Amino acid sequence: MEVFLIKLLQFILSISLLVLLHEGGHMLASKLFGVRVEKFFIFFDVAIGKWSGKLFSFKPRNSDTEYGMGWLPLGGYCKIAGMIDESMDTEQMKRDPQPWEFRTKPAWQRLIIMVAGVTVNFVLALFIYSMIMFHWGDSYIRVADMSMGMKFNNEAKSYGFKDHDILLGTNIRAFKDFNADVFRDLSEAQYCDVLRDGKKVRINLPGNINLLNMLKTTPKFVTPFVPAVADTVLQRMPVTEDSKDSIETPAWKIGMRKGDKILAVNGKAVDSYNAFTEAIGVISDELAATSSHRDSLKLRTVSLVIEKAGTQGKKDTVTTMLTPDAKLGFAVGGPDYLYRDKVTHVSYSFLESFPAGIKYGWDVLAGYVSDMKYVFTAEGAKSLGGFGAIGSLFPQTWDWHAFWMMTAFLSIILAFMNILPIPALDGGHVLFLIYEIITRRKPSEKFLIRAEYVGITILVLLMIVANLNDILRWIGIMS
C-alpha cells in the first residue's frame, strides 16, 4: 500500500505541474492578446448532482478569471471566452461576438494562443533535462564496457548474433548505454558491429526488424548477460506478492547462499540468469493455466543443479517447491552491480547543461515519434497504457532524479499528443486555423462543434482502450 501511495503522489504531482503550466501557456497567450479566460482549473470540476464538483475556487477582484481545483484528477482546463472547446459551451457562441472573445481575434493570434500550451510543455521538458544534467550530470554504463556481453534470443541468433557478443554499434551510430535506442537502432540498421572473442565482427541485418516484437517477445531480442549467481538469498518472503503472510524461501530451505550458481532447472542446463528466468517463466505460465491443485504442486516442484560457492565445481542436485507465484527467493547482481566499477559519469557546467539537455530531450522526442507507427497495429493497440501504466513508471521510493526524468518525459508526450491534428486537441484547432489562414475562409461554428464532438469521442475511446488494457494486465488476462 505504501508503494502504491508513493507512486500515486508522484504521478499526481507530476501531472498537476504539467497541466498547470500547459494551461498557463494558453492563458498567458490569451491575456497577451486581450482574450478573456473565464476559468482556470487544475483537475476537472465534473458536477455531481447539485454539487458543482469544485474542491475550491476563487475569483480575484477586478479579474475575469475564476481559479480553482476540481475533484477529478485527469488533467485540467483553461476556458477561453468565445472558443469552441471541450466545455461545449454552445450558448455563449449564440450571443453576439465581443471584442474580448477568442473568435473575434485575427487567425494568427488565435494560432499563437493554441500552440502556447504545447510550446510550454516542450520547452519545460528541455529545461528539466538541462537542469538534471547540471545537477546530477549523466551517469551510464557503456554497452561496449559490458565485458560479459549480451544474451540473445533465437531470432537474434538467426541473424548471426552469439551469446557474449559485446555490442559496439550499427551503421546508424555507436551504442551508448543499454536502453530503448539499442533496440530501435538494431531494428532499422543494415549491419551491427560486435566484439567476439576479442575480434570485431560485422553482422548484416535486414533493416526492418519489428521493434515491438523485439521488446515484447520472451525472451527479448537482446539483454545484458547476467550469470545465475546468487548475490542475495532471502530467508523469508511473502507467500505471494499481495500476501501479508511470509514463509521461509525455497532457496533458503535448500541451503542456497551468496555466490551459489544455478546450472540447471528440471534437467535443462541454464548458462545465465537470463536462461533461469526464462525456465521459471515457462513454469509460471503453466501455473496460470492450471486449475488443479495437484497439477500446481507438481509444476512447482523443481529439480535444480547448483554449484556451491568456493567448492571448485562441485555440483549438488536438489529438489524444492517454488512459492505459489513461482519464486525461489534469491536475487542476482544486475548490470548496475556487475559493472559498478565501469560507470561513465559526465558533469556539465550551467551553460554546458543546456545543449546537453536539449540534445537529450530531442532524442527522446525523436524516439517517441519513431515508435508511433506501432500504435496503429494490433499489437501496438494492446501495448497502449492508461493512468495505471503511466503511474507504474514512477519509482517505488521517492527519488527526485527519477521523478524529474519521468516528468520531463511526460511533458514531451503531452506536447506531442496535444499537437496531433485531432479535433478537441490543440492540434485540431491548429489544423483548422492553418486552413483559415491559407484559404481565408473560417470554418463554420456548426462544423467546429461537430468536429469537437468527433474529437472528444475519439479521445474517450482511446482512454477506454488504454485503461482497459491496464485492467486486463492487472488481472493477468493480457501481458
Side-chain angles (χ1 to χ4, degrees):
M1 185 64 179
E2 181 182 353
V3 170
F4 171 77
L5 289 176
I6 290 173
K7 286 176 173 279
L8 179 64
L9 286 173
Q10 290 180 91
F11 172 70
I12 291 177
L13 177 60
S14 179
I15 292 298
S16 299
L17 175 66
L18 297 181
V19 169
L20 175 69
L21 294 175
H22 176 93
E23 300 300 341
H26 289 308
M27 183 171 73
L28 183 63
S30 297
K31 290 183 177 292
L32 179 66
F33 295 119
V35 177
R36 287 184 184 177
V37 176
E38 297 176 349
K39 293 178 73 174
F40 184 87
F41 266 63
I42 295 295
F43 305 156
F44 293 115
D45 54 332
V46 179
I48 302 177
K50 295 182 179 180
W51 183 46
S52 65
K54 302 173 185 177
L55 296 180
F56 71 85
S57 67
F58 64 94
K59 192 172 185 179
R61 183 178 297 178
N62 300 323
S63 173
D64 300 310
T65 308
E66 177 189 5
Y67 299 89
M69 176 180 284
W71 67 271
L72 188 61
L74 300 181
Y77 68 97
C78 169
K79 189 175 186 303
I80 299 172
M83 175 183 169
I84 298 171
D85 58 11
E86 62 272 15
S87 68
M88 299 309 294
D89 186 2
T90 54
E91 290 302 316
Q92 183 186 63
M93 305 306 291
K94 293 178 181 178
R95 297 192 287 268
D96 292 335
Q98 301 297 322
W100 37 261
E101 287 186 335
F102 178 83
R103 56 181 164 169
T104 61
K105 299 298 178 179
W108 67 270
Q109 292 185 6
R110 284 180 278 136
L111 181 62
I112 291 175
I113 291 171
M114 292 318 305
V115 300
V118 296
T119 301
V120 166
N121 278 130
F122 187 61
V123 172
L124 173 67
L126 299 182
F127 178 75
I128 292 175
Y129 281 132
S130 298
M131 291 301 95
I132 289 173
M133 295 297 181
F134 173 62
H135 188 270
W136 285 284
D138 190 12
S139 295
Y140 58 94
I141 300 167
R142 293 173 63 241
V143 179
D145 286 339
M146 294 183 175
S147 54
M148 295 184 194
M150 298 288 153
K151 180 75 175 176
F152 299 91
N153 68 8
N154 290 333
E155 182 188 5
K157 289 177 180 177
S158 71
Y159 296 120
F161 290 104
K162 292 185 178 180
D163 289 340
H164 297 291
D165 281 351
I166 299 173
L167 297 175
L168 300 177
T170 67
N171 57 290
I172 299 173
R173 59 187 160 182
F175 292 128
K176 185 186 171 186
D177 54 337
F178 188 81
N179 57 28
D181 286 336
V182 171
F183 292 88
R184 290 191 187 103
D185 288 0
L186 289 173
S187 71
E188 299 173 359
Q190 301 301 317
Y191 65 81
C192 177
D193 289 331
V194 303
L195 194 64
R196 180 181 299 166
D197 299 326
K199 296 180 181 180
K200 186 175 179 180
V201 177
R202 177 159 293 181
I203 298 169
N204 293 319
L205 296 172
N208 60 352
I209 304 174
N210 187 287
L211 176 62
L212 206 57
N213 289 342
M214 293 174 74
L215 294 167
K216 290 180 69 68
T217 303
T218 303
K220 288 184 180 179
F221 190 89
V222 57
T223 51
F225 188 96
V226 177
V229 178
D231 178 65
T232 304
V233 180
L234 301 175
Q235 187 170 357
R236 300 190 68 83
M237 66 185 298
V239 180
T240 62
E241 289 184 1
D242 301 323
S243 175
K244 294 181 179 179
D245 299 323
S246 66
I247 56 172
E248 190 174 34
T249 67
W252 191 267
K253 281 184 180 179
I254 61 176
M256 274 190 72
R257 297 297 182 266
K258 182 175 181 176
D260 291 357
K261 183 178 183 180
I262 295 179
L263 302 176
V265 177
N266 288 339
K268 183 179 179 180
V270 293
D271 62 355
S272 61
Y273 185 68
N274 315 63
F276 170 78
T277 55
E278 182 184 348
I280 296 299
V282 171
I283 295 172
S284 181
D285 290 342
E286 291 175 345
L287 278 172
T290 186
S291 57
S292 165
H293 180 65
R294 182 177 178 181
D295 290 342
S296 175
L297 293 177
K298 185 177 179 180
L299 287 168
R300 288 167 53 199
T301 304
V302 297
S303 171
L304 304 173
V305 177
I306 299 176
E307 179 181 303
K308 298 294 291 181
T311 60
Q312 296 180 343
K314 182 182 176 182
K315 302 174 184 178
D316 291 336
T317 300
V318 294
T319 300
T320 188
M321 183 176 290
L322 303 175
T323 63
D325 52 359
K327 296 288 192 302
L328 190 57
F330 80 101
V332 299
D336 289 345
Y337 176 80
L338 294 172
Y339 304 109
R340 60 193 180 280
D341 59 339
K342 295 183 178 180
V343 174
T344 298
H345 179 79
V346 182
S347 296
Y348 297 94
S349 69
F350 183 74
L351 293 178
E352 290 172 337
S353 68
F354 286 97
I358 290 170
K359 182 181 183 305
Y360 189 95
W362 186 261
D363 289 344
V364 170
L365 176 62
Y368 185 76
V369 173
S370 173
D371 296 345
M372 279 299 293
K373 59 179 176 287
Y374 293 101
V375 173
F376 303 102
T377 65
E379 283 300 313
K382 292 179 183 178
S383 299
L384 288 174
F387 298 112
I390 296 172
S392 69
L393 295 175
F394 286 93
Q396 297 182 1
T397 57
W398 200 286
D399 181 328
W400 281 112
H401 178 268
F403 171 82
W404 287 117
M405 287 290 286
M406 189 63 200
T407 299
F409 178 63
L410 291 179
S411 192
I412 282 181
I413 291 178
L414 185 61
F416 177 74
M417 295 302 292
N418 257 291
I419 206 62
L420 291 176
I422 299 175
L425 291 178
D426 293 345
H429 294 286
V430 167
L431 179 66
F432 297 140
L433 284 166
I434 291 174
Y435 167 83
E436 180 182 342
I437 291 172
I438 293 173
T439 64
R440 299 192 178 185
R441 293 176 54 194
K442 189 174 182 180
S444 68
E445 290 180 0
K446 187 175 182 180
F447 169 80
L448 292 175
I449 291 172
R450 287 179 177 176
E452 196 75 11
Y453 276 120
V454 170
I456 290 173
T457 302
I458 292 172
L459 295 178
V460 168
L461 289 175
L462 284 173
M463 189 175 294
I464 290 172
V465 170
N467 287 284
L468 179 61
N469 285 349
D470 285 351
I471 295 171
L472 294 177
R473 291 188 193 100
W474 181 61
I475 63 181
I477 292 178
M478 189 172 72
S479 59

